[in-house]
Amino acid sequence: AQMYGYYITTDMLLNDGYRTMQILRTLPAQTPVMIELKDIRGRFYYNSSMGPINSKLDMAQAQQIISFITDSGLYAIAKFPALRDYYYGLDHVSDGIFLKSGMGLWMDDNRCYWLNPQSQGTLSYIIQIITELKLMGFNEVVLDDFSIPTSEKLRFDADRDEALATAAKKILETCATERFAVSFCVNNASFQLPEGRSRLYMKNQSASELKSVA
């Protein structure tokens, strides 16, 4: 089967909104459109109550794009980093993943904090974002960066796969419905997808290898 769809990045929202809107108007009904609505720093690209909004965003134009996606018969998918968030980690240290020494939170190469999927605060934060997006009219949300880094410099004593599976199950049970999917974007095909309205998205896959990966 032929694959199709349209993917809108945060950079496109910031710098190419007019052209993005032109392309959206040419898409047939039910075309899947995935749009990034939060970056790894924790800045939002819509009028969210959950954190800082990117100050460079043309909010009126961004809202026009979002409204068109959700109101024009397209299959609307919102995507955001779930467990990678600098600003939330900065303001909610107890919900983050700590250095092995315990002296502060661990940072990745992009100087971003990662959140602990076992923390109730982390889960509440993710669920509230999903709830906002559901009320905005999206058909599906994709939780990107739904993983735990493997650096030897961080401390995570629990079983990683079990912690992620448990968190995914709680989020899905709270947010998914027959008409709204909660999906997960990961690097590992062995991720334990919870039962319910959910799908697995994988990163860094070559188009020539998609059939074998599937």
Side-chain angles (χ1 to χ4, degrees), residues 22-124:
Q22 285 184 311
I23 293 174
L24 284 172
R25 294 185 188 279
T26 69
L27 300 178
Q30 295 303 308
T31 298
V33 177
M34 181 183 291
I35 181 170
E36 296 179 353
L37 289 176
K38 182 169 80 75
D39 60 29
I40 60 176
R41 302 296 292 174
R43 295 172 298 196
F44 288 81
Y45 290 72
Y46 66 95
N47 191 20
S48 174
S49 64
M50 296 308 300
I53 297 167
N54 192 312
S55 60
K56 298 179 180 179
L57 181 69
D58 182 334
M59 180 59 74
Q61 187 177 67
Q63 188 55 54
Q64 181 186 27
I65 291 171
I66 293 169
S67 295
F68 188 88
I69 294 171
T70 57
D71 298 341
S72 301
L74 302 168
Y75 184 77
I77 309 171
K79 180 182 178 186
F80 69 91
L83 297 177
R84 193 183 192 192
D85 190 310
Y86 171 78
Y87 286 117
Y88 184 85
L90 185 68
D91 294 335
H92 303 82
V93 175
S94 61
D95 293 331
I97 294 179
F98 281 79
L99 289 161
K100 186 166 287 187
S101 65
M103 302 297 289
L105 298 183
W106 177 82
M107 271 186 163
D108 63 18
D109 292 339
N110 289 304
R111 299 192 61 77
C112 283
Y113 297 123
W114 286 71
L115 309 181
N116 188 340
Q118 293 185 307
S119 165
Q120 185 55 49
T122 294
L123 295 182
S124 178

Side-chain angles (χ1 to χ4, degrees), residues 115-135:
L115 309 181
N116 188 340
Q118 293 185 307
S119 165
Q120 185 55 49
T122 294
L123 295 182
S124 178
Y125 176 58
I126 293 171
I127 288 168
Q128 288 181 73
I129 296 172
I130 295 172
T131 300
E132 281 190 339
L133 297 171
K134 183 193 296 187
L135 291 173

